[in-house]
Amino acid sequence: MALCFLTAGWKTDGANAVGKSDDGFINGILGVIVDHGLREESNEEAHIVSSRVTEMGIRCEIAKCSWLDGKPKQGHLLEEAREKRYEVFQNVCTKHQIEVLLIAHHADDQAELFILRLSRNSGVLGLAGMAFTSQMFSKSTHLYREGSKNKGILIVRPLLHFSKEILYKICQESGQDWVEDPTNQNTVYARNRIRMSLGNLSSYTFQSELQGVISACRRTRAYVDQICNNLINQAVTIIDQHGYAIIDLEILNPSKVTDICLSKFVALILQYVSQRNRPIRGSTSKLLLHYIRTVPCKTSFTAAGCYLCPAPRSRGTKILVCCSVDCPLNSKMELIYPFLNGEQKHYFRNELEQIIADGKSYSNHFVPDASDVHFLDASESVISEAKTLNIISESTYRDILLLKREEIKHFKHKVEDKVDYKSKNKVESIIASPSELLQPGKACYFMNRFWITWKLSNHVSVGEGTENCVADLGGESQECHSCSCRIGHDKVAEVRRMSESDWLYLAKLSKCPSLDNLQQQKVLSSSTMEQISEKRSLHLENLELSAQKALEVLKSIPVAARRSLPVLVNHQGLLLSIPSIGFKHCPCLMVSCEFKPIVPLGGGHSSFM
């Protein structure tokens, strides 16, 4: 409610004030109320809040959560509710083409997160807490039109410097009522326990010193992020078309980069290539650090859905980073459905890129250098070093340690309960299908990076081969100028990763395959064979040439990276196309393959300053 009141004032006052629409609402604002549907009174509360926000002149929308089994998973209510809440925000923003989302997180939320992460042994980067601005990228690819850019949504937290007490006063002095969620009083949840414990330590000294530690962590985070961005620009080459990266160790010079910066740098590369946007922690992070520091690189390494090895012809001075074929998540294929129907309301007009550019320009003035940041050395804990540096007093140090120990004790009990529950209730793992059916004209998203679509062309030039066969598509007979069209009456293709057998098959085709070989592969019908026996088909020559060109392109792609290339096959498993290298078995086949990762390199824009 405080955020709504302040935003309404900001949009209607000052030099850049906006007017109101004919129905009396402030232009450029939409209030989104998420009804999680987890309490009987939540629906009524949502409508009460909607009425109050509407009275401020803000157009409002209530979005109700739908749960797979009617409710979140047992023991994960807050986490599941948060995931669902942001999913709703993404859907609403995408539907209305809104690019900026204001969130009312405040200083008390930041303090709770600090204690929570401290109890989970988080380092300085995690203890920096929430960013003032960050980009959120939708996992629901069907929300985007084919060919559009997933620019994401910019999350802005303008109240991070304000305590909850101040926000209460803003509401009280402006005459705004609010609704308290009784779930916030339940001490089963870690955040609630920490919130109540922090409330018992409400002295000005403790609060200001705790915020001082968080601010110091944020400055360090900003510095590390800046170093990592520079390293990515200097030492990393992204092969966008095929979805892999090469790290130049000579340019990177790992021996001169601090552990914390190098670990973050490697994590960003792996998160981009694998598109698994989650932290790399513990022993995996240490092993990666050791691997990247070993120059020249002589071995291979698998981590976080990626395969790392020496880049070909680099003598170990460069590292190839590509998708691991052993990771089942990297075989995922998602069918793409049309853009959400409904009225498209342009509350914002393509302002995101300009806002981010302005934000980067502004924050660059505040990024500190190494002499102004702390906690880069992992040999001592953050709060111990903060005490040594006189950022916090001895009493604040003891209080923070006490909060940490109390939460660790609760967390251990919770983990033990989970282990007992799992041992009694074993769940069978579900193995994802390696491929799915793709209809002509439809699109799919493969391995979280390749946007693929295919169809049959109505017209093919004479130069591509003129021996006719007929492909039956959707009840219509369509001339397909290829003697070995592999699209049969099933009218579907399947998408999978490239295998060694595909390479061997291209090698056979490149040597002008005999008609007998093609017949053995059940490519041609007997009637077509009779036609070709009268005249050597131009198609076979073109097929040979296409295979030769494809092999030349494949030779330039490292072997490990080839394994993650998407391949189209028919229902019999016979090769139709390797779209990213331009090979197609039939000239009638029109295949589009675009490398389109959801999360960009570096995780998108964020600012901790």
Side-chain angles (χ1 to χ4, degrees):
M1 294 301 293
L3 177 66
C4 289
F5 174 75
L6 294 172
T7 306
W10 165 60
K11 292 292 280 186
T12 54
D13 294 335
N16 297 316
V18 299
K20 293 187 177 181
S21 59
D22 294 337
D23 51 9
F25 290 114
I26 302 169
N27 289 322
I29 310 180
L30 175 68
V32 184
I33 299 170
V34 180
D35 177 9
H36 295 89
L38 300 175
R39 294 180 292 113
E40 290 183 4
E41 60 272 27
S42 66
N43 182 60
E44 181 183 356
E45 290 172 352
H47 283 86
I48 290 173
V49 173
S50 176
S51 175
R52 292 171 182 170
V53 173
T54 300
E55 289 174 2
M56 294 185 202
I58 298 176
R59 185 181 282 102
C60 209
E61 179 170 322
I62 298 175
K64 194 172 181 65
C65 295
S66 58
W67 302 96
L68 186 61
D69 297 321
K71 58 183 179 180
K73 293 179 183 178
Q74 186 178 5
H76 298 273
L77 189 144
L78 293 189
E79 295 88 342
E80 292 275 317
R82 182 187 182 279
E83 288 293 319
K84 183 64 70 173
R85 182 162 61 251
Y86 277 89
E87 180 184 320
V88 168
F89 286 149
Q90 288 176 328
N91 293 345
V92 172
C93 288
T94 302
K95 183 176 76 171
H96 295 299
Q97 298 186 10
I98 292 174
E99 298 179 326
V100 181
L101 177 67
L102 304 185
I103 301 288
H105 286 130
H106 47 76
D108 291 20
D109 292 325
Q110 198 78 297
E112 294 163 15
L113 186 59
F114 180 89
I115 300 299
L116 181 64
R117 290 184 174 178
L118 189 68
S119 69
R120 307 297 193 263
N121 293 320
S122 181
V124 60
L125 301 185
L127 296 177
M130 294 173 283
F132 281 108
T133 59
S134 58
Q135 272 179 289
M136 173 173 62
F137 297 91
S138 176
K139 299 176 184 176
S140 301
T141 51
H142 66 274
L143 294 177
Y144 295 90
R145 288 191 179 96
E146 182 179 353
S148 69
K149 290 184 179 180
N150 181 6
K151 296 187 296 182
I153 299 162
L154 187 70
I155 296 178
V156 180
R157 299 179 176 91
L159 306 181
L160 275 184
H161 276 324
F162 294 87
S163 68
K164 192 168 186 177
E165 183 182 356
I166 291 176
L167 301 185
Y168 277 132
K169 289 180 179 179
I170 289 172
C171 288
Q172 290 164 351
E173 293 180 10
S174 60
Q176 302 296 332
D177 289 328
W178 63 89
V179 174
E180 292 282 356
D181 186 347
T183 308
N184 291 336
Q185 306 301 318
N186 192 336
T187 56
V188 170
Y189 306 114
R191 271 191 174 272
N192 296 346
R193 290 194 302 270
I194 294 171
R195 183 180 304 122
M196 293 177 184
S197 298
L198 284 170
N200 296 328
L201 300 167
S202 57
S203 71
Y204 174 79
T205 300
F206 175 83
Q207 290 183 355
S208 62
E209 288 184 356
L210 179 57
Q211 292 299 329
V213 178
I214 296 173
S215 295
C217 291
R218 297 172 75 80
R219 287 196 299 274
T220 304
R221 174 69 186 256
Y223 169 79
V224 171
D225 286 351
Q226 185 69 38
I227 293 294
C228 289
N229 288 335
N230 293 338
L231 292 176
I232 288 172
N233 292 333
Q234 296 165 8
V236 179
T237 301
I238 303 295
I239 312 301
D240 279 342
Q241 185 179 2
H242 306 305
Y244 66 92
I246 295 176
I247 303 173
D248 192 320
L249 295 178
E250 291 183 325
I251 297 176
L252 179 64
N253 198 356
S255 63
K256 294 189 177 181
V257 184
T258 59
D259 284 357
I260 190 171
C261 292
L262 194 57
S263 292
K264 178 68 174 178
F265 162 80
V266 177
L268 289 173
I269 305 301
L270 268 60
Q271 287 167 346
Y272 175 72
V273 172
S274 69
Q275 284 296 296
R276 298 166 67 188
N277 196 31
R278 54 182 187 238
I280 300 172
R281 297 190 178 99
S283 59
T284 302
S285 181
K286 292 178 182 178
L287 289 171
L288 272 170
L289 195 61
H290 175 73
Y291 182 82
I292 205 80
R293 287 199 183 282
T294 305
V295 183
C297 174
K298 296 180 180 179
T299 60
S300 61
F301 187 75
T302 302
C306 291
Y307 178 80
L308 295 81
C309 65
R313 297 178 295 278
S314 71
R315 297 185 179 182
T317 61
K318 295 180 181 179
I319 292 177
L320 170 72
V321 183
C322 58
C323 274
S324 169
V325 295
D326 298 322
C327 178
L329 291 176
N330 289 343
S331 297
K332 176 185 171 186
M333 170 180 156
E334 180 183 352
L335 296 177
I336 306 300
Y337 299 97
F339 190 88
L340 287 176
N341 294 324
E343 183 183 358
Q344 301 301 312
K345 299 175 182 176
H346 297 262
Y347 290 114
F348 292 89
R349 300 182 304 277
N350 261 348
E351 296 175 337
L352 182 58
E353 292 179 4
Q354 186 60 49
I355 290 172
I356 290 176
D358 291 344
K360 286 180 178 178
S361 175
Y362 179 81
S363 61
N364 284 342
H365 294 293
F366 296 95
V367 174
D369 56 37
S371 62
D372 295 326
V373 299
H374 309 294
F375 321 127
L376 290 175
D377 185 359
S379 61
E380 192 174 8
S381 73
V382 167
I383 57 170
S384 295
E385 190 170 345
K387 185 184 72 169
T388 303
L389 295 168
N390 293 321
I391 297 174
I392 58 176
S393 62
E394 179 66 32
S395 62
T396 299
Y397 172 75
R398 288 197 305 268
D399 288 337
I400 292 175
L401 271 185
L402 180 61
L403 290 169
K404 176 183 176 182
R405 288 176 190 143
E406 287 179 353
E407 184 49 40
I408 288 175
K409 182 172 63 177
H410 283 288
F411 181 63
K412 283 183 177 179
H413 289 158
K414 187 176 180 182
V415 170
E416 288 169 2
D417 292 340
K418 282 185 178 179
V419 172
D420 290 338
Y421 175 80
K422 288 182 179 179
S423 64
K424 296 176 183 177
N425 301 275
K426 293 184 179 179
V427 180
E428 294 183 3
S429 60
I430 299 174
I431 301 175
S433 172
S435 59
E436 295 184 47
L437 300 180
L438 180 62
Q439 302 286 342
K442 303 297 182 182
C444 77
Y445 201 56
F446 186 64
M447 298 173 61
N448 286 340
R449 59 183 53 73
F450 293 109
W451 186 290
I452 301 170
T453 185
W454 73 274
K455 63 180 180 179
L456 288 183
S457 173
N458 291 319
H459 304 285
V460 178
S461 63
V462 175
E464 291 185 72
T466 56
E467 298 302 321
N468 298 333
C469 71
V470 177
D472 185 8
L473 292 176
E476 298 181 0
S477 290
Q478 186 171 316
E479 288 295 317
C480 181
H481 299 270
S482 167
C483 65
S484 61
C485 179
R486 291 182 159 187
I487 304 293
H489 292 279
D490 51 294
K491 305 181 290 292
V492 294
E494 297 179 7
V495 184
R496 60 163 171 80
R497 290 191 307 243
M498 186 176 176
S499 65
E500 190 65 24
S501 62
D502 299 319
W503 170 276
L504 296 175
Y505 180 60
L506 287 177
K508 288 182 180 180
L509 288 181
S510 68
K511 297 176 181 177
C512 194
S514 67
L515 300 181
D516 292 337
N517 286 340
L518 289 175
Q519 190 176 27
Q520 289 173 6
Q521 296 169 37
K522 300 181 181 179
V523 173
L524 303 177
S525 66
S526 58
S527 60
T528 307
M529 288 294 297
E530 292 174 2
Q531 295 176 29
I532 299 176
S533 62
E534 298 175 359
K535 178 183 177 183
R536 185 71 176 178
S537 175
L538 288 175
H539 166 73
L540 294 179
E541 297 176 13
N542 286 317
L543 191 57
E544 176 188 3
L545 183 61
S546 179
Q548 290 172 352
K549 290 181 178 179
L551 286 172
E552 285 301 313
V553 175
L554 282 175
K555 288 176 183 177
S556 67
I557 303 172
V559 175
R562 292 178 204 156
R563 298 171 189 154
S564 62
L565 295 181
V567 167
L568 266 70
V569 298
N570 65 11
H571 74 289
Q572 296 174 310
L574 300 176
L575 183 66
L576 295 175
S577 174
I578 308 176
S580 56
I581 63 170
F583 173 77
K584 55 183 180 178
H585 206 284
C586 170
C588 297
L589 192 64
M590 306 297 291
V591 185
S592 171
C593 178
E594 182 181 358
F595 180 73
K596 187 186 286 189
I598 292 177
V599 181
L601 183 60
H605 169 72
S606 65
S607 174
F608 285 80
M609 299 297 291

